[in-house]
Short mmCIF file of all heavy atoms in Angstrom, two decimals:
data_model
loop_
_atom_site.label_atom_id
_atom_site.label_comp_id
_atom_site.label_asym_id
_atom_site.label_seq_id
_atom_site.Cartn_x
_atom_site.Cartn_y
_atom_site.Cartn_z
N LYS S 13 -15.84 13.04 -0.10
CA LYS S 13 -14.74 13.38 0.78
C LYS S 13 -14.36 12.21 1.70
O LYS S 13 -13.18 11.99 1.94
CB LYS S 13 -15.04 14.62 1.59
CG LYS S 13 -15.05 15.91 0.79
CD LYS S 13 -15.38 17.07 1.69
CE LYS S 13 -15.54 18.34 0.87
NZ LYS S 13 -15.88 19.48 1.71
N ARG S 14 -15.37 11.54 2.18
CA ARG S 14 -15.15 10.43 3.09
C ARG S 14 -14.34 9.34 2.45
O ARG S 14 -13.35 8.81 2.97
CB ARG S 14 -16.45 9.86 3.58
CG ARG S 14 -16.31 8.79 4.67
CD ARG S 14 -17.63 8.25 5.19
NE ARG S 14 -18.75 9.19 4.92
CZ ARG S 14 -19.94 8.77 4.47
NH1 ARG S 14 -20.15 7.52 4.18
NH2 ARG S 14 -20.90 9.62 4.25
N ASP S 15 -14.69 8.97 1.22
CA ASP S 15 -13.95 7.97 0.44
C ASP S 15 -12.51 8.43 0.15
O ASP S 15 -11.58 7.66 0.25
CB ASP S 15 -14.68 7.62 -0.85
CG ASP S 15 -15.94 6.90 -0.59
OD1 ASP S 15 -16.11 6.32 0.51
OD2 ASP S 15 -16.82 6.79 -1.54
N LEU S 16 -12.37 9.68 -0.17
CA LEU S 16 -11.04 10.24 -0.42
C LEU S 16 -10.14 10.15 0.82
O LEU S 16 -9.01 9.77 0.69
CB LEU S 16 -11.14 11.64 -0.97
CG LEU S 16 -9.85 12.35 -1.33
CD1 LEU S 16 -9.12 11.56 -2.45
CD2 LEU S 16 -10.12 13.75 -1.85
N LYS S 17 -10.72 10.52 1.95
CA LYS S 17 -9.94 10.45 3.17
C LYS S 17 -9.56 9.01 3.52
O LYS S 17 -8.42 8.74 3.94
CB LYS S 17 -10.73 11.10 4.31
CG LYS S 17 -10.82 12.61 4.21
CD LYS S 17 -11.65 13.20 5.32
CE LYS S 17 -11.77 14.69 5.19
NZ LYS S 17 -12.53 15.31 6.30
N LYS S 18 -10.46 8.06 3.27
CA LYS S 18 -10.17 6.64 3.51
C LYS S 18 -9.06 6.17 2.60
O LYS S 18 -8.18 5.42 2.99
CB LYS S 18 -11.44 5.78 3.31
CG LYS S 18 -12.46 5.87 4.34
CD LYS S 18 -13.63 4.91 4.05
CE LYS S 18 -14.75 5.11 5.02
NZ LYS S 18 -15.90 4.27 4.71
N TYR S 19 -9.11 6.62 1.35
CA TYR S 19 -8.05 6.22 0.35
C TYR S 19 -6.69 6.74 0.85
O TYR S 19 -5.73 6.02 0.82
CB TYR S 19 -8.42 6.85 -0.97
CG TYR S 19 -7.31 6.75 -2.03
CD1 TYR S 19 -7.04 5.57 -2.65
CD2 TYR S 19 -6.60 7.87 -2.35
CE1 TYR S 19 -6.05 5.50 -3.61
CE2 TYR S 19 -5.60 7.80 -3.32
CZ TYR S 19 -5.30 6.61 -3.95
OH TYR S 19 -4.32 6.56 -4.89
N ILE S 20 -6.64 7.98 1.30
CA ILE S 20 -5.39 8.59 1.77
C ILE S 20 -4.84 7.78 2.98
O ILE S 20 -3.66 7.48 3.04
CB ILE S 20 -5.58 10.08 2.11
CG1 ILE S 20 -5.84 10.85 0.88
CG2 ILE S 20 -4.38 10.64 2.86
CD1 ILE S 20 -6.43 12.28 1.11
N LYS S 21 -5.75 7.46 3.90
CA LYS S 21 -5.32 6.69 5.07
C LYS S 21 -4.83 5.34 4.73
O LYS S 21 -3.86 4.83 5.30
CB LYS S 21 -6.50 6.62 6.08
CG LYS S 21 -6.79 7.94 6.77
CD LYS S 21 -8.01 7.83 7.69
CE LYS S 21 -8.36 9.20 8.29
NZ LYS S 21 -9.56 9.09 9.09
N ILE S 22 -5.47 4.67 3.76
CA ILE S 22 -5.02 3.34 3.32
C ILE S 22 -3.68 3.40 2.69
O ILE S 22 -2.79 2.62 3.00
CB ILE S 22 -6.09 2.74 2.38
CG1 ILE S 22 -7.35 2.33 3.12
CG2 ILE S 22 -5.51 1.51 1.66
CD1 ILE S 22 -8.52 1.98 2.28
N VAL S 23 -3.46 4.35 1.81
CA VAL S 23 -2.16 4.48 1.13
C VAL S 23 -1.06 4.76 2.17
O VAL S 23 0.01 4.10 2.17
CB VAL S 23 -2.19 5.63 0.08
CG1 VAL S 23 -0.82 5.97 -0.38
CG2 VAL S 23 -3.11 5.24 -1.10
N CYS S 24 -1.30 5.73 3.04
CA CYS S 24 -0.30 5.98 4.05
C CYS S 24 -0.06 4.85 5.04
O CYS S 24 1.05 4.54 5.41
CB CYS S 24 -0.64 7.27 4.80
SG CYS S 24 -0.54 8.78 3.72
N GLY S 25 -1.16 4.16 5.40
CA GLY S 25 -0.99 2.97 6.26
C GLY S 25 -0.21 1.89 5.63
O GLY S 25 0.61 1.22 6.30
N ASP S 26 -0.42 1.66 4.32
CA ASP S 26 0.33 0.65 3.65
C ASP S 26 1.80 0.98 3.62
O ASP S 26 2.70 0.13 3.74
CB ASP S 26 -0.16 0.46 2.19
CG ASP S 26 -1.53 -0.23 2.12
OD1 ASP S 26 -1.93 -0.83 3.19
OD2 ASP S 26 -2.16 -0.24 1.04
N ILE S 27 2.16 2.21 3.39
CA ILE S 27 3.54 2.69 3.40
C ILE S 27 4.17 2.42 4.75
O ILE S 27 5.31 1.87 4.85
CB ILE S 27 3.72 4.14 2.99
CG1 ILE S 27 3.36 4.37 1.55
CG2 ILE S 27 5.10 4.68 3.28
CD1 ILE S 27 3.19 5.85 1.14
N VAL S 28 3.51 2.84 5.79
CA VAL S 28 4.01 2.56 7.18
C VAL S 28 4.17 1.08 7.41
O VAL S 28 5.20 0.68 7.97
CB VAL S 28 3.10 3.30 8.23
CG1 VAL S 28 3.50 2.86 9.61
CG2 VAL S 28 3.19 4.75 8.10
N GLY S 29 3.22 0.30 7.04
CA GLY S 29 3.34 -1.14 7.24
C GLY S 29 4.55 -1.73 6.54
O GLY S 29 5.21 -2.60 7.12
N GLU S 30 4.77 -1.32 5.32
CA GLU S 30 5.96 -1.79 4.58
C GLU S 30 7.25 -1.37 5.28
O GLU S 30 8.22 -2.11 5.30
CB GLU S 30 5.96 -1.26 3.12
CG GLU S 30 4.84 -1.89 2.27
CD GLU S 30 5.01 -3.40 2.08
OE1 GLU S 30 6.20 -3.83 1.97
OE2 GLU S 30 4.03 -4.10 1.98
N CYS S 31 7.29 -0.15 5.80
CA CYS S 31 8.49 0.35 6.53
C CYS S 31 8.70 -0.52 7.74
O CYS S 31 9.87 -0.90 8.06
CB CYS S 31 8.30 1.78 6.91
SG CYS S 31 8.47 2.96 5.56
N ILE S 32 7.69 -0.78 8.50
CA ILE S 32 7.82 -1.54 9.72
C ILE S 32 8.30 -3.01 9.40
O ILE S 32 9.16 -3.54 10.03
CB ILE S 32 6.52 -1.54 10.52
CG1 ILE S 32 6.29 -0.15 11.10
CG2 ILE S 32 6.53 -2.61 11.65
CD1 ILE S 32 4.88 0.00 11.73
N PHE S 33 7.68 -3.56 8.40
CA PHE S 33 8.03 -4.91 7.92
C PHE S 33 9.53 -4.93 7.52
O PHE S 33 10.29 -5.83 7.95
CB PHE S 33 7.19 -5.39 6.78
CG PHE S 33 7.50 -6.75 6.30
CD1 PHE S 33 7.03 -7.86 6.91
CD2 PHE S 33 8.38 -6.93 5.18
CE1 PHE S 33 7.37 -9.12 6.47
CE2 PHE S 33 8.69 -8.17 4.72
CZ PHE S 33 8.20 -9.30 5.33
N ALA S 34 9.97 -3.98 6.67
CA ALA S 34 11.34 -3.91 6.25
C ALA S 34 12.30 -3.72 7.42
O ALA S 34 13.32 -4.38 7.46
CB ALA S 34 11.48 -2.85 5.17
N LYS S 35 11.94 -2.85 8.30
CA LYS S 35 12.74 -2.55 9.46
C LYS S 35 13.00 -3.80 10.32
O LYS S 35 14.05 -4.06 10.85
CB LYS S 35 12.10 -1.44 10.26
CG LYS S 35 12.86 -0.93 11.43
CD LYS S 35 12.09 0.23 12.07
CE LYS S 35 12.14 0.26 13.51
NZ LYS S 35 11.45 1.33 14.12
N LEU S 36 11.90 -4.62 10.52
CA LEU S 36 11.99 -5.74 11.40
C LEU S 36 12.58 -7.03 10.76
O LEU S 36 13.20 -7.79 11.42
CB LEU S 36 10.56 -6.06 11.96
CG LEU S 36 9.99 -5.01 12.86
CD1 LEU S 36 8.52 -5.40 13.25
CD2 LEU S 36 10.83 -4.79 14.06
N TYR S 37 12.30 -7.21 9.47
CA TYR S 37 12.61 -8.45 8.85
C TYR S 37 13.74 -8.47 7.78
O TYR S 37 14.18 -9.50 7.41
CB TYR S 37 11.41 -9.09 8.26
CG TYR S 37 10.32 -9.44 9.31
CD1 TYR S 37 9.20 -8.65 9.46
CD2 TYR S 37 10.58 -10.48 10.19
CE1 TYR S 37 8.33 -8.98 10.46
CE2 TYR S 37 9.67 -10.77 11.17
CZ TYR S 37 8.51 -10.00 11.32
OH TYR S 37 7.60 -10.30 12.30
N PHE S 38 14.13 -7.33 7.32
CA PHE S 38 15.18 -7.25 6.29
C PHE S 38 16.51 -6.92 7.00
O PHE S 38 16.65 -5.90 7.66
CB PHE S 38 14.93 -6.18 5.28
CG PHE S 38 13.79 -6.50 4.28
CD1 PHE S 38 13.30 -5.53 3.47
CD2 PHE S 38 13.23 -7.73 4.24
CE1 PHE S 38 12.28 -5.77 2.59
CE2 PHE S 38 12.25 -8.06 3.36
CZ PHE S 38 11.76 -7.03 2.53
N ASP S 39 17.45 -7.76 6.72
CA ASP S 39 18.85 -7.53 7.27
C ASP S 39 19.44 -6.38 6.48
O ASP S 39 19.33 -6.30 5.24
CB ASP S 39 19.73 -8.75 7.11
CG ASP S 39 19.24 -9.91 7.97
OD1 ASP S 39 18.71 -9.65 9.06
OD2 ASP S 39 19.47 -11.07 7.63
N GLY S 40 20.05 -5.46 7.18
CA GLY S 40 20.68 -4.38 6.47
C GLY S 40 19.78 -3.19 6.26
O GLY S 40 20.24 -2.16 5.63
N ALA S 41 18.52 -3.21 6.63
CA ALA S 41 17.63 -2.10 6.45
C ALA S 41 17.98 -1.06 7.48
O ALA S 41 18.20 -1.33 8.68
CB ALA S 41 16.14 -2.50 6.62
N ASP S 42 18.08 0.19 7.06
CA ASP S 42 18.41 1.26 7.96
C ASP S 42 17.19 1.68 8.80
O ASP S 42 16.28 2.32 8.31
CB ASP S 42 18.93 2.48 7.11
CG ASP S 42 19.49 3.58 7.98
OD1 ASP S 42 19.17 3.65 9.18
OD2 ASP S 42 20.29 4.36 7.43
N ALA S 43 17.23 1.30 10.05
CA ALA S 43 16.06 1.50 10.97
C ALA S 43 15.76 2.99 11.17
O ALA S 43 14.62 3.41 11.20
CB ALA S 43 16.29 0.85 12.29
N GLU S 44 16.79 3.77 11.27
CA GLU S 44 16.61 5.22 11.49
C GLU S 44 15.95 5.90 10.29
O GLU S 44 15.02 6.70 10.42
CB GLU S 44 17.93 5.91 11.76
CG GLU S 44 17.78 7.33 12.13
CD GLU S 44 19.13 8.04 12.48
OE1 GLU S 44 20.04 7.30 12.96
OE2 GLU S 44 19.20 9.27 12.33
N LYS S 45 16.39 5.51 9.07
CA LYS S 45 15.72 6.05 7.89
C LYS S 45 14.29 5.60 7.79
O LYS S 45 13.40 6.36 7.40
CB LYS S 45 16.45 5.63 6.61
CG LYS S 45 17.80 6.35 6.42
CD LYS S 45 18.39 5.92 5.07
CE LYS S 45 19.73 6.62 4.87
NZ LYS S 45 20.39 6.21 3.61
N MET S 46 13.99 4.35 8.13
CA MET S 46 12.64 3.89 8.09
C MET S 46 11.75 4.62 9.09
O MET S 46 10.59 4.96 8.84
CB MET S 46 12.60 2.38 8.41
CG MET S 46 13.12 1.49 7.29
SD MET S 46 12.19 1.65 5.81
CE MET S 46 13.04 0.57 4.72
N ASP S 47 12.30 4.95 10.31
CA ASP S 47 11.57 5.68 11.25
C ASP S 47 11.25 7.06 10.73
O ASP S 47 10.15 7.63 10.94
CB ASP S 47 12.35 5.79 12.58
CG ASP S 47 12.38 4.48 13.35
OD1 ASP S 47 11.49 3.64 13.11
OD2 ASP S 47 13.28 4.31 14.19
N ASN S 48 12.22 7.69 10.05
CA ASN S 48 12.03 9.08 9.46
C ASN S 48 10.97 8.99 8.39
O ASN S 48 10.14 9.94 8.25
CB ASN S 48 13.32 9.61 8.91
CG ASN S 48 14.31 9.96 10.00
OD1 ASN S 48 13.91 10.17 11.15
ND2 ASN S 48 15.61 9.94 9.67
N ILE S 49 10.96 7.92 7.63
CA ILE S 49 9.93 7.75 6.54
C ILE S 49 8.53 7.59 7.19
O ILE S 49 7.57 8.12 6.69
CB ILE S 49 10.27 6.54 5.64
CG1 ILE S 49 11.54 6.88 4.83
CG2 ILE S 49 9.11 6.26 4.72
CD1 ILE S 49 12.11 5.68 4.11
#
């Protein structure tokens, strides 16, 4: 269970990191949609 929980946190953390990166560095990225994601 511990490894499974770590996997879930890593996957979700990567998604959030990509959203923040896109929001800050991509022109034309919809910041509100990224926040909702």
Side-chain angles (χ1 to χ4, degrees):
K13 289 180 186 180
R14 185 177 342 135
D15 289 342
L16 182 57
K17 288 178 181 181
K18 284 180 185 178
Y19 170 77
I20 293 166
K21 289 177 184 177
I22 289 169
V23 168
C24 292
D26 287 348
I27 291 171
V28 169
E30 291 294 326
C31 287
I32 292 171
F33 180 82
K35 182 176 144 180
L36 295 176
Y37 296 107
F38 289 168
D39 294 331
D42 189 339
E44 185 175 335
K45 285 184 182 180
M46 289 297 180
D47 289 339
N48 291 336
I49 292 169

